[in-house]
Amino acid sequence: MRASKNSNELRVMSEMHISGAEGIYEDSEISKVVKEYIKRALSHSRGKPGKIVLTIEEIKQMPKKISILPVTTLQCDYPDEAREIIYQKLLNIGISKKALDNAFRVLSSAKTMRGASLMDIKSGKRTEPDRERGIRVSRLGIEKSADKKLSLILSKSKINITTVKEALILASKATSCPDIVAEVCISDDPDYTTGYIASKKFGYLRIPNIKKQGEMHGGRVFFIKEDANIEKIINYLEKTPALVSNP
Ligand code: WAQ
Ligand code: MG
């Protein structure tokens, strides 16, 4: 699902991204999920959409089984502290300062993307072909039994909410790609101020107060290896079905 709004700022007609969602479901769940997606699009904190696009496709390929990243919530009181934590953890696993500076430029831009930026861990060069749209992680989901177990685990930390679950599944798919070293994410919702960094090395690290309440900026950056095959990464993230099969 994607919801957007027309804006004619600067006399150039452009579409502002409001919200999006994707998942893998059984036939029998489709009407329920569609209803939920539409409800979500119509009551979003970024505004009322002028257009909602829904795409439902049959998946023919057997989904790749992936495992969920372990979740940790860090202590963080301010956006500046969040930035320090992110630099420290990501410099530590080999991401250059330049790449981090460039990532924060993407994440704090007033013009949010629908998808994610792909950034070279060394040069900090952006490699996604469409910088306005970015790469959209799609065809991802979780098996029913794994979902139940995950709900129990998240409930213990009082974070069993759709936002966390969906982000965790997305980060688990993204970091299961061998050429992706880490991800950083800030929600573009003005009322959601917890972000995260994720990597196979340290799991899914939640960072409270990554931005201030009311701010509309946000985004995602995937840090990719220097010699990575970009097309292969994009094909994996956007097209290859992946299902979390264990929490
Ligand atoms: N693929 C790639 N990028 C995406 C996708 C996707 N499927 N969905 C969203 N993005 C990008 C896009 O640039 C958005 O502007 C940005 O991420 C933020 O998306 O554990 O809600 O849906 O409490 O606003 C983190 C949860 C929630 C942390 C993140 O992101 C926690 C969130 P949002
Ligand atoms: Mg959002």
Side-chain angles (χ1 to χ4, degrees), residues 22 113 115-116 135-137 164 187-189 192 204 206 220:
E22 43 272 295
M113 297 159 73
I135 306 302
R136 190 91 193 164
V137 187
V164 173
S187 174
D188 58 2
D189 304 5
Y192 202 87
Y204 179 93
R206 305 180 65 238
R220 277 183 161 93

Side-chain angles (χ1 to χ4, degrees), residues 62-243:
M62 267 298 276
K64 178 184 150 78
K65 297 202 182 214
I66 56 170
S67 41
I68 203 98
L69 291 170
V71 180
T72 311
T73 303
L74 303 178
Q75 158 80 32
C76 173
D77 296 324
Y78 306 101
D80 283 349
E81 195 183 343
R83 221 175 158 113
E84 273 174 35
I85 296 172
I86 296 167
Y87 270 75
Q88 187 247 319
K89 302 252 183 232
L90 296 183
L91 284 169
N92 203 27
I93 60 166
I95 295 166
S96 70
K97 180 175 177 298
K98 186 151 186 217
L100 288 164
D101 292 345
N102 289 350
F104 271 94
R105 220 160 279 146
V106 173
L107 297 172
S108 37
S109 160
K111 201 160 175 354
T112 55
M113 297 159 73
R114 232 175 85 204
S117 177
L118 291 183
M119 193 163 288
D120 185 297
I121 53 164
K122 285 282 169 315
S123 68
K125 197 173 154 264
R126 288 176 67 177
T127 56
E128 71 277 15
D130 180 343
R131 289 192 179 197
E132 266 182 48
R133 175 185 180 273
I135 306 302
R136 190 91 193 164
V137 187
S138 201
R139 303 193 186 177
L140 72 175
I142 183 163
E143 284 178 356
K144 280 243 172 58
S145 57
D147 191 27
K148 280 196 189 126
K149 282 190 212 153
L150 180 62
S151 290
L152 284 175
I153 296 170
L154 296 178
S155 294
K156 285 191 187 130
S157 315
K158 300 195 173 65
I159 49 170
N160 188 28
I161 54 172
T162 311
T163 308
V164 173
K165 230 186 215 178
E166 285 185 349
L168 181 57
I169 295 169
L170 189 154
S172 299
K173 178 175 180 187
T175 55
S176 73
C177 175
D179 280 331
I180 294 182
V181 177
E183 175 190 357
V184 56
C185 167
I186 300 179
S187 174
D188 58 2
D189 304 5
D191 56 357
Y192 202 87
T193 58
T194 301
Y196 69 85
I197 51 176
S199 140
K200 282 186 282 287
K201 297 239 170 73
F202 49 65
Y204 179 93
L205 303 182
R206 305 180 65 238
I207 308 175
N209 301 304
I210 200 165
K211 72 173 189 181
K212 289 195 207 116
Q213 187 78 26
E215 288 177 342
M216 294 288 280
H217 66 84
R220 277 183 161 93
V221 175
F222 298 131
F223 296 98
I224 61 166
K225 288 184 183 163
E226 275 176 289
D227 49 2
N229 179 333
I230 310 296
E231 249 178 77
K232 215 170 135 189
I233 296 180
I234 297 175
N235 184 61
Y236 181 66
L237 295 176
E238 297 197 329
K239 300 274 169 14
T240 309
L243 266 186

